[in-house]
Amino acid sequence: MKILRYKTLAMRVLSENEYAERARVVFTARVISEENAEFKGYRRVLVSATLNRSGVRELVSSASTVAVVVYSCALRVSEQIYSKPYTHTLELRITVTVKSSKHLLNPLQLLNLLGSALSEVTNYLEREDEARFLKISFENSMFAEDMARLVATRVVLVYSNQLDLEDTVITTMRSFETLHEYDLYVVLKTRSGELVKSSGVLWVFQ
């Protein structure tokens, strides 16, 4: 993704404010799909560029969405005790953020990748679509921390030619509980190189 416009804006801020040591330009937006424009979801993107007077300091790309999750713990216990998958679905708000000193990822592509990795919420009007959606969610149940690791690893592998080993990937999740009085929060912050190493995949970063 071209960063010239963000860099130019930040440089202009610095030039007009001599007392400032650094400048940050931020763009945020809520994303509405063309096929479902009435759906008021949580799909959001953010990009930002931070510069000091010696050059680029930090580039940030971020995407957020809402998904339905079925956690493995309740599902597995139910199958063991009752031989049936009694469990519940939860609403999950998830954000993935990539911080780099050289590369600015396309936030819309990042959002689409996030949606493809999860059971992203949408408005289903047909019962067959609802059933298919729930079937996929139940068949791909997992623990929250595993889901955060899956998303972060997929981002690094897909964007390996745009990331450096020291670039940071942050995955934050909030699960809105229905059986407990508290919500579940997960934060995974790691380097690109660490994720590739833990995934067991050899990759050459450019």
Side-chain angles (χ1 to χ4, degrees):
M1 184 176 181
K2 295 182 179 180
I3 64 172
L4 181 60
R5 68 189 67 178
Y6 303 100
K7 184 177 179 180
T8 301
L9 286 173
M11 291 177 62
R12 181 174 179 180
V13 171
L14 288 175
S15 65
E16 295 185 1
N17 298 274
E18 297 181 357
Y19 59 87
E21 294 297 327
R22 64 177 181 269
R24 185 181 185 218
V25 176
V26 182
F27 168 82
T28 62
R30 184 167 69 91
V31 180
I32 302 176
S33 61
E34 294 181 0
E35 63 275 8
N36 201 356
E38 297 299 321
F39 176 54
K40 295 179 173 58
Y42 188 73
R43 306 181 83 230
R44 300 178 184 276
V45 294
L46 177 149
V47 292
S48 72
T50 303
L51 276 72
N52 54 29
R53 296 194 177 277
S54 61
V56 175
R57 181 173 181 178
E58 183 180 69
L59 301 172
V60 177
S61 309
S62 181
S64 304
T65 192
V66 174
V68 168
V69 61
V70 177
Y71 286 144
S72 298
C73 49
L75 184 64
R76 299 294 176 258
V77 171
S78 173
E79 289 177 334
Q80 184 175 2
I81 296 177
Y82 304 110
S83 299
K84 291 185 178 181
Y86 296 126
T87 188
H88 58 297
T89 59
L90 305 174
E91 177 184 308
L92 179 75
R93 291 191 178 184
I94 181 167
T95 300
V96 61
T97 302
V98 179
K99 295 184 177 182
S100 174
S101 61
K102 299 179 182 178
H103 309 284
L104 187 63
L105 303 185
N106 186 314
L108 293 177
Q109 293 178 359
L110 196 61
L111 179 62
N112 291 334
L113 185 150
L114 191 60
S116 66
L118 305 168
S119 296
E120 193 174 24
V121 173
T122 186
N123 281 339
Y124 287 114
L125 301 180
E126 301 293 336
R127 295 303 182 191
E128 291 184 5
D129 294 332
E130 290 181 352
R132 189 179 303 109
F133 177 81
L134 289 174
K135 179 177 182 293
I136 294 174
S137 299
F138 273 72
E139 290 177 346
N140 293 278
S141 64
M142 64 181 69
F143 293 105
E145 56 270 31
D146 293 332
M147 190 174 300
R149 193 175 297 108
L150 169 68
V151 169
T153 302
R154 184 169 297 188
V155 168
V156 169
L157 295 181
V158 169
Y159 291 101
S160 62
N161 63 334
Q162 300 180 49
L163 296 175
D164 294 329
L165 291 173
E166 296 302 314
D167 288 343
T168 302
V169 179
I170 305 171
T171 305
T172 59
M173 300 168 50
R174 179 182 179 183
S175 174
F176 292 84
E177 295 287 339
T178 56
L179 298 182
H180 307 289
E181 295 181 351
Y182 54 84
D183 292 338
L184 175 65
Y185 293 85
V186 175
V187 178
L188 174 65
K189 181 178 181 180
T190 186
R191 303 288 185 186
S192 299
E194 295 173 357
L195 284 170
V196 171
K197 183 178 179 180
S198 64
S199 69
V201 177
L202 295 178
W203 213 274
V204 178
F205 284 77
Q206 299 179 356

